[in-house]
Amino acid sequence: MSKRVRTAVFPVAGLGTRFLPATKAMPKEMLTVVDRPLIQYAVDEAREAGIEHFVFITGRNKGVIEDHFDKQYELEPTLASRGKSDELAELQRELPQAGQASFTRQQEPLGLGHAVWCARELVGDQPFALLLPDMLFKGEPGVLKQMMEAYEETGGNVIAVEEVPMEEVSKYGVVARGKGPDEGFAITAMVEKPKRKDAPSNLIISGRYILQPEIFALIAEQPRGAGGEIQITDAMQTLMRQQAFTGVKYRGRSFDCGGKAGFLLANFVYALDRPEIAAALKAEIKKLGLGSGTA
Ligand code: UTP
């Protein structure tokens, strides 16, 4: 039987340059979609998948993320005294229990691979989930939970993938699909940013992973790639020679909230899901002449 995945790693040490100046003093992962910061959506998704230990790889200006997952002593009595019991209960429900959250710093933003490597002592010798919080996934159940179901069958390493139009594959990591259904198929190869003609499929790696701890030693051996950064795909390619990788073509859709268009679209789509604002929003959209407002 595969070892249970209890720990999730959230790399939040990037500079978020695509969102400057918003991200000058505030981390990108605290940008809000409707009224929840991006990092909160990722933590909720992990909790739904059974995660019990939340590891954050932070950097400069990221103290606010630590505060976000802490008790707010001024806020709680104020909400209680104003009778806002629903808001208070929600805040308390969402808080990781004492000892469930760990924070370590990536002292320099040397790339995603390096950020993951910074988690090695906190994760130890066990499989872990890796969630990139600027990728927001709308799935039922959550994408990590869908991946956990595949992991229970296959063990090894699991990667969420999604289809993109063939003309866009060169922007992403792309997998080659072997045998098996959408819910869990063998990945036979991985290529980083291939030319369209060399791409083995239009299935891209999209920000959710379950990885075995052997990845840490392989990241440590990686030379720096483009922009002096240490990437994770190179280490995964090496790990593929030793261990199985399973792809999950998840049910749902993603929003790349690391970029403005994806972030704004996510706000729009998530707002339309909120009964308390959807009607007013649709009416305003109609007034702007941007559509029928019936979406
Ligand atoms: P991105 O490449 O999307 O983040 O990394 P970025 O570098 O902050 O973004 P831009 O391109 O400058 O706007 C995906 C995730 O990995 C984290 C980021 O915080 C983000 O959640 N990351 C990236 C790190 O933790 N450390 C790094 O060195 C790089």
Side-chain angles (χ1 to χ4, degrees):
M1 215 177 92
S2 321
K3 226 174 176 179
R4 206 178 134 222
V5 182
R6 294 183 53 251
T7 301
V9 173
F10 303 88
V12 291
L15 295 179
T17 54
R18 283 170 290 166
F19 259 105
L20 283 169
T23 47
K24 201 172 156 205
M26 186 192 72
K28 160 170 85 172
E29 297 78 8
M30 287 301 289
L31 290 170
T32 53
V33 170
V34 188
D35 52 10
R36 303 169 77 71
L38 285 170
I39 187 68
Q40 181 78 60
Y41 286 96
V43 165
D44 292 348
E45 184 187 328
R47 191 185 283 119
E48 181 202 2
I51 294 296
E52 293 163 358
H53 182 201
F54 306 87
V55 174
F56 300 87
I57 313 301
T58 69
R60 277 177 304 113
N61 294 335
K62 305 284 179 156
V64 64
I65 292 179
E66 210 165 325
D67 292 342
H68 182 75
F69 291 106
D70 197 1
K71 235 177 165 32
Q72 238 287 14
Y73 280 101
E74 286 146 25
L75 191 58
E76 294 198 359
T78 310
L79 288 176
S81 70
R82 291 185 187 167
K84 299 201 170 208
S85 50
D86 289 352
E87 289 84 348
L88 180 59
E90 194 176 341
L91 282 187
Q92 288 171 338
R93 200 172 43 244
E94 288 171 351
L95 205 62
Q97 286 167 29
Q100 278 193 323
S102 304
F103 300 85
T104 189
R105 280 204 179 205
Q106 184 190 26
Q107 291 142 334
E108 281 178 276
L110 293 178
L112 176 60
H114 182 262
V116 173
W117 181 72
C118 292
R120 66 198 181 284
E121 295 296 342
L122 288 168
V123 171
D125 189 22
Q126 52 165 335
F128 63 100
L130 169 62
L131 298 94
L132 309 193
D134 54 353
M135 289 300 297
L136 179 58
F137 290 90
K138 204 164 187 295
E140 193 60 55
V143 172
L144 189 61
K145 187 154 197 232
Q146 296 179 35
M147 294 167 70
M148 288 290 198
E149 283 161 14
Y151 176 80
E152 275 160 29
E153 299 284 318
T154 61
N157 303 272
V158 181
I159 296 181
V161 300
E162 66 183 67
E163 266 180 321
V164 294
M166 215 49 207
E167 48 278 16
E168 288 179 22
V169 285
S170 56
K171 292 193 267 179
Y172 303 101
V174 179
V175 304
R177 180 171 181 164
K179 284 203 177 96
D182 284 356
E183 292 76 24
F185 59 85
I187 293 179
T188 53
M190 245 176 253
V191 198
E192 187 60 22
K193 300 191 174 66
K195 290 203 181 95
R196 181 180 171 166
K197 66 175 179 42
D198 300 328
S201 75
N202 65 341
L203 293 172
I204 62 158
I205 299 174
S206 61
R208 297 291 184 268
Y209 313 73
I210 295 171
L211 295 169
Q212 296 298 319
E214 287 75 19
I215 194 85
F216 292 122
L218 298 174
I219 296 172
E221 288 166 13
Q222 292 303 312
R224 289 192 189 189
E229 295 201 339
I230 298 171
Q231 298 305 341
I232 188 127
T233 318
D234 303 340
M236 289 198 301
Q237 279 165 334
T238 312
L239 189 58
M240 263 189 83
R241 293 192 211 121
Q242 304 154 20
Q243 295 181 1
F245 272 74
T246 300
V248 172
K249 193 167 159 248
Y250 66 86
R251 300 178 300 284
R253 68 156 298 177
S254 69
F255 299 90
D256 180 1
C257 292
K260 287 165 200 148
F263 172 73
L264 293 169
L265 183 62
N267 263 290
F268 182 69
V269 171
Y270 277 70
L272 288 178
D273 267 356
R274 292 289 190 85
E276 74 279 19
I277 46 175
L281 185 62
K282 282 182 194 171
E284 289 299 330
I285 291 164
K286 210 169 175 182
K287 276 194 229 160
L288 287 171
L290 291 179
S292 66
T294 54

